Amino acid sequence: MPSLRTAAAPVTAALVVVTGVGPIATDSYVAALPAVQVSLGTSAAVAQLTLTAFIVGMAAGQILLGPVSDGRGRRGLLLGGAVVFTLTSLLCALAPSGPVLVAVRLVQGLAAGAGIAIGRAVVGDAYPPAEAARRYGTLAAIVFLGPVIAPAAGGAVLAVGDWRTIFFVLTGFGGLMVLAVLFGIPETLPETERHGGGLGATLHRMADLGSDWSFMRHVALQSVVVCGFFTYIGGSSFVLQEVYGISESTYATIFAVNAGAMAAATIGFRQLVGRVGPERLRAAGMGVSTVVAVGVLGGALFERVNGEPPPLAMTWVLLTVLVGGMGLTIPSATALAQEAGRRSRGTAAALAGGLAFLCGAAVTPLTGLLGYSTLLPMAALMSGFFVASVLMLLLVGRAGVSGGADPGAGSSARPSRPSGRSGAAHPATGAAERS
């Protein structure tokens, strides 16, 4: 007879919708920022703040609402987040001024963050560790394609409408999210396994995992790696266009190819994680990105000595491999953190995703502050963060579980409360049938 977990398995396409909303609502909108400034008669800073507010909201939504789902269940919060995202998208389309748009975008980001964190928790609820790791890889592969697809989709919308049309389209996407939750994501956290929904219980869960090094070492490693990755995201457009004199369209091609390499690597992760384990794949991804980042730094030093940058083709290949390494590192880190914090999966998803995202957002402007007329500032920052991550990995040692290991490995022995989740793997037979 199928287990409760098998019967409650979510539809993968529905999870893709609720966890992939972030890149869609961010990247499809970037090209419209100048039009927002003109249309609302506001400043460029306020127009850019409408984007920043959404990103901050996404991070806050993960940190605030992921832990709540451990006490109140997953499905209700997912449905509420989808409804709020839909309504705020419509309000954005009708916004009369820049400050109003900033405020509504913040709330829209909170709703999107709920889907990201709780969606990861649903995967951990429904599948045993090895299968959950493969599912994280699948979700990551699709989500990482967002930066490739969303700008083109936004450009297509702008070709037939204006920036408000983008938000009307996002309103429709919000409706799709509502349907995805209603018909594709059952409740995966039974009442008998909930931890208490009050503020005190929520804060206790956050403090419990936040003080547990067997969990936080995964978060710390991921945060440092994400800092190196976000240095590339925040600085590469300025650096490559300034140093090599390439056009915006050429840079868009470079960025898309690199994102595609990352998505391809996550597909490889899904195929390998059951045999190799997430620990080894994380180490491999971090090692590849670190070696390549040091290679970019070598090219930057070559530029400083010779006055000419290395060939664009060489720099492009190095950055492509660096970003591809993230396709192994990020889903591995997600799987390891979720398993180490499995006693409070929503809280684990909130802390791992939200804290890493906040760290990445904090370092994004550093290249601009240090200068982008040469490769050196971006290369030095990237290599510094990646080297630090490898040193940290060597210091903390191997942690977590491998694809075929005992699912209790690497998780804390001090549960925050007695729970039906003892740490034993749940049967996965038939779990993939609904995906």
Side-chain angles (χ1 to χ4, degrees):
M1 176 179 295
S3 70
L4 173 62
R5 297 290 178 168
T6 300
V11 177
T12 300
L15 287 173
V16 168
V17 172
V18 299
T19 60
V21 64
I24 292 174
T26 302
D27 298 313
S28 64
Y29 172 70
V30 172
L33 289 177
V36 170
Q37 177 187 356
V38 174
S39 174
L40 297 179
T42 189
S43 65
V46 171
Q48 291 173 335
L49 193 58
T50 64
L51 182 60
T52 302
F54 180 81
I55 295 173
V56 171
M58 274 201 302
Q62 293 181 67
I63 293 173
L64 295 175
L65 296 174
V68 175
S69 74
D70 284 329
R72 298 187 178 276
R74 316 292 191 208
R75 192 168 187 261
L77 286 171
L78 278 176
L79 184 59
V83 170
V84 171
F85 181 87
T86 304
L87 294 176
T88 51
S89 296
L90 180 59
L91 291 175
C92 286
L94 303 174
S97 66
V100 170
L101 184 57
V102 169
V104 179
R105 283 282 278 174
L106 179 64
V107 180
Q108 186 189 38
L110 286 167
I116 294 169
I118 300 174
R120 286 197 298 266
V122 165
V123 173
D125 290 339
Y127 302 103
E131 179 60 23
R134 284 189 285 269
R135 301 279 168 164
Y136 294 133
T138 299
L139 295 179
I142 297 170
V143 169
F144 291 151
L145 286 175
V148 181
I149 299 170
V157 171
L158 291 175
V160 297
D162 58 12
W163 66 270
R164 296 184 188 274
T165 310
I166 291 178
F167 286 110
F168 283 122
V169 172
L170 289 176
T171 303
F173 188 86
L176 181 62
M177 289 175 63
V178 173
L179 294 175
V181 177
L182 286 175
F183 297 104
I185 304 179
E187 179 56 67
T188 57
L189 187 66
E191 291 187 12
T192 55
E193 298 188 18
R194 297 178 189 177
H195 295 213
L199 177 61
T202 299
L203 294 176
H204 173 74
R205 288 192 294 275
M206 296 180 73
D208 174 54
L209 284 183
S211 62
D212 181 3
W213 181 239
S214 67
F215 166 74
M216 286 302 297
R217 58 187 170 188
H218 298 299
V219 178
L221 274 170
Q222 182 175 348
S223 296
V224 177
V225 169
V226 166
C227 285
F229 182 45
F230 270 55
T231 299
Y232 156 79
I233 292 176
S236 60
S237 62
F238 295 102
V239 171
L240 295 182
Q241 291 182 63
E242 178 72 20
V243 172
Y244 291 104
I246 62 176
S247 65
E248 293 181 358
S249 60
T250 300
Y251 173 75
T253 300
I254 292 174
F255 190 87
V257 169
N258 294 357
M262 190 174 185
T266 61
I267 296 173
F269 167 86
R270 176 178 169 84
Q271 300 300 318
L272 293 171
V273 67
R275 298 191 297 272
V276 179
E279 285 179 331
R280 292 178 179 174
L281 291 177
R282 180 180 63 180
M286 290 171 59
V288 167
S289 295
T290 301
V291 169
V292 173
V294 172
V296 176
L297 178 60
L301 295 174
F302 174 87
E303 176 188 14
R304 189 172 183 85
V305 171
N306 294 277
E308 292 289 336
L312 174 60
M314 186 182 84
T315 301
W316 185 356
V317 168
L318 289 174
L319 291 176
T320 300
V321 177
L322 183 149
V323 175
M326 292 295 93
L328 297 178
T329 303
I330 292 178
S332 298
T334 299
L336 289 165
Q338 286 299 117
E339 179 56 23
R342 70 182 183 275
R343 64 184 183 272
S344 302
R345 289 190 177 94
T347 306
L351 293 176
L355 293 179
F357 201 93
L358 286 176
C359 289
V363 305
T364 297
L366 288 182
T367 299
L369 293 175
L370 296 177
Y372 47 84
S373 59
T374 71
L375 288 172
L376 187 58
M378 182 184 77
L381 287 168
M382 282 195 312
S383 60
F385 285 124
F386 281 117
V387 168
S389 72
V390 169
L391 293 176
M392 184 182 297
L393 181 63
L394 294 175
L395 287 174
V396 303
R398 298 178 71 244
V401 299
S402 63
D406 177 3
S411 63
S412 172
R414 35 184 200 96
S416 57
R417 61 175 284 282
S419 169
R421 280 176 278 157
S422 63
H426 296 285
T429 304
E433 291 178 2
R434 300 187 57 203
S435 59

